[in-house]
Amino acid sequence: MNAMNTHYPDAVRVEPINRHTLAVIVDNEPGVLARISGMFSGRGYNIESLTVSETEVARHISRITIVTTGTDAVIQQIKAQLDRLVPVHRVVDLTLQGGSLERELCLVKVAGTGEHRTESLTLAAAFGAKTLDATLNSFVFEVTGTTEEIDRFIGLMTVIGLVEISRTGIAAMGRGSEAM
């Protein structure tokens, strides 16, 4: 029995699940991305977004941006396990730094004629999207913004005649003059 002498169990404490953006500096060598993604899948963690590119050619260094979700304890575990991997130089939780910038690029193909065609051009202009390709029946738009802005644009284009989507995933960086 609990402290109040009752037969009812204590209330289960539910921890909030938060979204975190992690920046990881790694050696640019074969198998690094496989090791990192294997660490996530082996422990049952989900990767919502993953981007990677070489950032320092002379030193063969790449930057990986990972968006994942979990309780505070799970996020701490993920960061600690990433830090232990041999090719990893540094792990920074941009969410905890506060004020980080996040952007995503999306290519959106929309088909339509007449009214739908005009409406898609108007919406694209409102979102600051560039028209990359135009035919008599379709457009391909390039839109850059936060994940929420991209989701809104896709939602509106779905009504008009969305055909295909290609998203890059999130690229993120902390504000200010200091390097990570």
Side-chain angles (χ1 to χ4, degrees):
M1 284 202 254
N2 61 20
M4 295 179 56
N5 284 336
T6 178
H7 295 286
Y8 294 107
D10 290 334
V12 177
R13 200 175 96 188
V14 178
E15 290 187 52
I17 294 179
N18 299 310
R19 177 182 174 271
H20 284 256
T21 303
L22 307 175
V24 185
I25 303 298
V26 299
D27 289 330
N28 186 17
E29 59 185 39
V32 172
L33 187 57
R35 277 191 235 150
I36 288 174
S37 62
M39 187 277 298
F40 272 81
S41 67
R43 289 163 178 80
Y45 305 142
N46 188 39
I47 296 174
E48 291 186 6
S49 174
L50 175 75
T51 58
V52 61
S53 184
E54 188 171 50
T55 55
E56 296 181 45
V57 177
R59 292 182 36 203
H60 302 290
I61 300 292
S62 290
R63 180 179 177 130
I64 300 174
T65 304
I66 302 169
V67 178
T68 189
T69 56
T71 63
D72 290 342
V74 167
I75 298 299
Q76 288 301 326
Q77 220 175 21
I78 289 171
K79 291 190 297 189
Q81 289 167 350
L82 282 171
D83 238 347
R84 281 195 289 264
L85 293 176
V86 171
V88 173
H89 294 277
R90 188 154 186 213
V91 178
V92 175
D93 189 342
L94 294 172
T95 306
L96 294 181
Q97 277 190 343
S100 64
L101 302 169
E102 293 186 1
R103 292 295 179 269
E104 185 175 0
L105 173 87
C106 184
L107 301 178
V108 179
K109 186 183 290 184
V110 180
T113 56
E115 226 177 87
H116 288 294
R117 188 171 173 79
T118 307
E119 195 172 346
S120 66
L121 283 171
T122 304
L123 284 171
F127 278 84
K130 283 182 10 183
T131 304
L132 299 180
D133 183 54
T135 68
L136 295 174
N137 302 340
S138 68
F139 291 105
V140 175
F141 298 111
E142 173 189 308
V143 62
T144 305
T146 64
T147 300
E148 293 77 20
E149 291 168 344
I150 301 289
D151 289 342
R152 278 190 15 244
F153 183 72
I154 290 169
L156 292 169
M157 290 300 178
T158 301
V159 177
I160 294 172
L162 183 70
V163 175
E164 188 177 355
I165 302 167
S166 178
R167 295 175 82 153
T168 61
I170 292 173
M173 184 175 285
R175 293 180 184 266
S177 60
E178 291 93 36
M180 88 171 230

